[in-house]
Amino acid sequence: MSRTPVIVGNWKMHNTVGDALQLVRALKVKFLGVSGVEIGVCPTFVLLPAVIDALKESNIGVGGQNMYFENKGAFTGEVSPVQLKDLGCKYVILGHSERRQFFGETDELVSKKAKVAHSHGLIPIVCVGEKLDQRESGLTEEIVGKQVDGSLDGLTKEEMSKTIVAYEPVWAIGTGKVATTEQAQAVHAFIRELLRKKFDAAVAAEVRIQYGGSVKPDNAKGLLSQNDIDGALVGGASLKADDFSAIVKAAI
Ligand code: 13P
């Protein structure tokens, strides 16, 4: 089965409204008529209305970088799935390693959020990945396996098919130290096999697994040409229109 590659920019805590508009206006022009690849950007919450408005009638989807699992209520500082959907979001990144590391997110919380995201028609991009010491101790499969199992628990087969998994080795994020194509492919194949066991073969064949961690124009093609790498979750390089565009085009 052929999976449409999906390239998403995770802007993290970057850009003002002015920067964001400049960036998306440039992207809109660069991606005019581009097909065969799904494209998305995930700005911070405060940028969402401006970005969504600027990308109306474009081929670029927009997503949040996180959300809470309740629809509304007394949860100061949180943003709900209803609010993301209402603005016109398509995706929501969940369980990014920075959320796990700095904000204490657990697999259990991520799975709860993923379930709720689906119930609102948002596509969760669920992130997993091992730290450097874990890789060096030979624990990559154990750690990633536990995260995949726990973070995707409770999803139906149908929900899982639509979910995007992002494999982001923590040691490759923002470090310029990209995983080799072989290292990345091996973990992606491992994740797909886990999905086959946890759900079924049809689901495993359908789920798109993105790689994330220092994806740049010069390494994108090698990564994206691997059998089980179906896209990229791009941090730093997604803040530059030329770089992001080159990565998107490497997926076609
Ligand atoms: P970098 O591309 O900056 O390494 O970030 C990757 C990432 O964390 C995307 O979610």
Side-chain angles (χ1 to χ4, degrees):
M1 103 150 337
S2 76
R3 297 177 288 268
T4 304
V6 55
I7 309 291
V8 174
N10 173 9
W11 291 3
K12 309 194 179 183
M13 202 171 69
H14 293 286
N15 289 335
T16 60
V17 173
D19 302 330
L21 288 176
Q22 209 178 344
L23 177 55
V24 294
R25 283 177 189 143
L27 293 177
K28 202 170 163 177
V29 174
K30 284 184 183 294
F31 299 144
L32 208 65
V34 168
S35 62
V37 56
E38 197 176 307
I39 311 165
V41 292
C42 297
T44 52
F45 295 132
V46 293
L47 301 175
L48 285 171
V51 167
I52 288 170
D53 187 57
L55 291 178
K56 257 187 212 142
E57 282 148 40
S58 78
N59 52 357
I60 308 171
V62 180
Q65 296 175 10
N66 178 34
M67 61 166 221
Y68 197 51
F69 56 76
E70 293 286 358
N71 291 347
K72 61 178 176 180
F75 304 103
T76 302
E78 293 295 309
V79 168
S80 87
V82 174
Q83 293 169 321
L84 292 182
K85 190 69 191 169
D86 178 55
L87 281 181
C89 282
K90 179 172 179 184
Y91 310 99
V92 61
I93 299 173
L94 297 177
H96 190 279
S97 63
E98 288 147 19
R99 303 271 346 145
R100 293 176 185 264
Q101 191 177 342
F102 303 128
F103 304 98
E105 295 209 358
T106 60
D107 294 334
E108 193 188 355
L109 179 67
V110 175
S111 72
K112 207 162 169 178
K113 291 181 176 187
K115 187 84 190 163
V116 170
H118 278 296
S119 73
H120 291 277
L122 292 161
I123 299 174
I125 301 176
V126 175
C127 305
V128 298
E130 81 288 359
K131 296 184 182 146
L132 184 60
D133 59 317
Q134 294 166 333
R135 172 163 285 266
E136 286 172 346
S137 315
L139 296 175
T140 300
E141 291 197 349
E142 189 182 316
I143 297 294
V144 171
K146 214 182 274 174
Q147 290 176 339
V148 166
D149 191 44
S151 305
L152 301 170
D153 221 29
L155 296 184
T156 63
K157 289 181 186 180
E158 201 192 334
E159 287 166 342
M160 188 63 233
S161 307
K162 294 184 199 145
T163 301
I164 297 171
V165 177
Y167 168 57
E168 300 204 305
V170 179
W171 48 271
I173 296 178
T175 58
K177 221 173 145 184
V178 67
T180 64
T181 51
E182 294 77 18
Q183 282 174 325
Q185 165 58 26
V187 180
H188 280 236
F190 169 72
I191 293 173
R192 202 174 301 286
E193 177 57 15
L194 289 179
L195 296 175
R196 188 187 65 74
K197 287 188 199 141
K198 191 172 172 70
F199 296 90
D200 64 26
V203 170
E206 222 169 306
V207 172
R208 290 173 302 173
I209 308 175
Q210 294 176 315
Y211 169 80
S214 296
V215 176
K216 307 285 175 212
D218 63 354
N219 59 31
K221 192 100 205 163
L223 289 160
L224 294 166
S225 59
Q226 300 298 305
N227 276 349
D228 290 293
I229 302 184
D230 312 306
L233 188 55
V234 185
S238 72
L239 300 172
K240 296 180 196 134
D242 287 345
D243 287 0
F244 190 59
S245 155
I247 294 167
V248 166
K249 287 174 185 167
I252 306 171

